[in-house]
Amino acid sequence: MSQNNKKSTNETKPKKRGTLKSGILGGVIGGLVVALLGGGYLYTMEPDMPTNSTGIVDKNGKVTTTDVSVNVTSEVTDAVAKVEDSVVSVVNMQEQNTEGFGGIFGSDSDGTNMSEDSSLQTAGEGSGVIYKIDGDTAYVVTNNHVINESDAVEVLMKDGTKVEAEIIGTDIWTDLAVLSIPSENVTKAATFGDSDSLTVGEPAIAIGSPLGTNFASSVTQGIISAKNRSVDTDINGDGVIDWEMTALQTDAAINPGNSGGALINIAGQVIGINSMKISTDTVEGMGFAIPSNDVVSIINQLETEGKVVRPVLGISLLDISQISEQQQASVLKLPKDVTAGVVVGQVQPDSAAEKGGLEQYDVIVKFNGEDVVDTISLRKEIYKTELGKEIEVEYYRNGKLEKTTITMTDTESIT
């Protein structure tokens, strides 16, 4: 990731780079015990605080601090304590070109080549969450864009211990990745809460490494601003929207480097993996996290398969809106009242699409009974279907509406 959160389309692409509580104030004068109820804060102070009308001073009249102890506990501090040891920094290491400096970085003083590891440099930093300990191995979930294009990955624990991580699996579409690390220095694994049961307005706490490892284990607090937000996402960094991610929206501060970190509820359960934010001069407090229920489904597959197995058609896609009206009429021969759909660019040999009879320049307008508006809507419908299921597809060919039945497969394909 390059210390960056994956951005929505309202934000320029990086390397690539997700709680307010009311209270009732009560006080006991005498013992100077003040409790903020509702928020759960408890402050205790000794009664003989050395104060006077000019402030707190020592016997020489110098301003000084007091020896009064303040113990602070709250639902927030309790929640953070349950998770903070499980939140780590994830460092994307990449090989750097050491030529062009007289070879001073390319060989030792005796002229021998340096080790391969010596050319690895930090290319980006993000966050991750340890969610499982299995014998000598612990598993970490992070964002795919955090470790994308890495030559090696390191994990920095809360106590400062740094270990090498192995990439177990990645999924570009959900922007999730699973790493494994030795469990020797792991003390605790986080637990996932039910993101479907969240209530808009309830507390949300983000933990991660904003701006990198120098600010590791930073905690910010806000609320769940919305559920089931559809956020336009540029998957491959070409400036074109490829996907709509379903996400939790929060106003807890999420900054570059928080990607892959935890969004937790007041019970200390992980309810989301922070992934992106909207960052413009006119926008404040709009961060997004992948819901925990989606995360659990994906990481279970990544652990066992190394990837998410999805049905595919085996075609390349192009929105009708990207085709000129002249070409729509002359090449696609579309009726003028057809304004939405997806054009088949290429058909992969032996794919589900080819076996179903789809051809180049067909315009898909319905898939499994659902209207196809654009490539995003078609992809979402494809990925929702079961492998082996027969799907009816409606499309225009040479201006005529036709239908075909396609059996969904998981063959590697263009789409």
Side-chain angles (χ1 to χ4, degrees), residues 25 45 50 60 65 112 122 132 146 169 187 191 194 247 293 330 401:
L25 182 63
M45 302 171 65
N60 297 318
T65 60
T112 60
T122 298
K132 178 180 175 181
V146 170
T187 59
T191 59
D194 182 3
N293 288 14
S330 61
L401 182 63

Side-chain angles (χ1 to χ4, degrees), residues 23 35 61 69 82 94 116 120 123 135 138 149 153 171 220 235 291 313 316 329 343 361 365 381-382 384 387 391:
S69 61
K82 293 177 182 178
Q94 296 181 15
E116 182 178 339
L120 293 175
E149 298 181 352
V153 177
D171 183 49
T220 56
I235 296 293
L313 282 179
S316 61
V343 182
Y361 301 146
V365 292
E381 290 301 322
I382 291 173
K384 280 174 17 181
L387 291 174
I391 300 296

Side-chain angles (χ1 to χ4, degrees), residues 26-35:
V28 180
I29 308 296
L32 273 175
V33 177
V34 180

